[in-house]
Amino acid sequence: MGNNDNNTGNFLTGVIVGSIVGAATALLMAPKSGRELRSDLNEQMDLLKEKSSGWKETVMDKGSDLTSTAVEKTNQLRQTAMDKGSNLAEAVKEKADQFRSTAKETTNSMAEAAKERTDQMKETAHRTVDLTAESAKEAADQMQTAANQASDKVSEKAENLADKTK
């Protein structure tokens, strides 16, 4: 659209310059008296003023139209940019929420896995302590039994020896 407006402006400029040059050449080349020539020049100047006034209105209307179009296009572009910016902000917010949710889920999952592992280790430690306590009790019982048996044997031998010595 800008190229058409530029061509129109060039065309109008060419028409104005061509009209002036043509009118001046025609007036100066015509064989007339000074008074007739001045009268013709005045008439041509009046015609040229009328035409240029009309062209001025046309140019002003075109300029006004172009200004309105430029303002409208600028408003459309601004609205499009605002819409795109808003959409982008929403997309970023949505992605941030997704990331936050994923991070929270991952953190919770890792915390739960750590708790389960800790509970397993606790259970294993309790079982190991219980088994060790049972083994120690059994060993203590065996030692007590062995000590009692040894004490009984020693008492028996002491009695035998006491019987022999009597």
Side-chain angles (χ1 to χ4, degrees), residues 20-38:
I20 292 171
V21 169
T25 303
L27 289 174
L28 293 175
M29 296 305 237
K32 294 184 180 182
S33 68
R35 183 174 293 184
E36 288 176 11
L37 182 62
R38 282 191 301 274

Side-chain angles (χ1 to χ4, degrees), residues 152-166:
D152 287 346
K153 280 186 185 180
V154 169
S155 293
E156 194 179 302
K157 284 195 179 189
E159 282 179 23
N160 282 341
L161 200 65
D163 283 342
K164 283 185 186 179
T165 52
K166 284 195 184 179

Side-chain angles (χ1 to χ4, degrees), residues 13-81:
T13 302
V15 168
I16 292 170
V17 170
S19 296
I20 292 171
V21 169
T25 303
L27 289 174
L28 293 175
M29 296 305 237
K32 294 184 180 182
S33 68
R35 183 174 293 184
E36 288 176 11
L37 182 62
R38 282 191 301 274
S39 173
D40 286 345
L41 281 174
N42 283 334
E43 285 176 25
Q44 290 298 321
M45 285 300 280
D46 289 339
L47 281 173
L48 187 59
K49 282 181 184 178
E50 286 177 30
K51 285 182 182 179
S52 66
S53 177
W55 290 335
K56 177 183 172 189
E57 277 185 41
T58 302
V59 168
M60 293 298 277
D61 289 343
K62 289 279 185 185
S64 179
D65 290 345
L66 290 174
T67 302
S68 297
T69 302
V71 167
E72 182 180 324
K73 291 290 182 183
T74 301
N75 288 337
Q76 288 174 352
L77 286 172
R78 183 177 13 161
Q79 185 62 41
T80 301

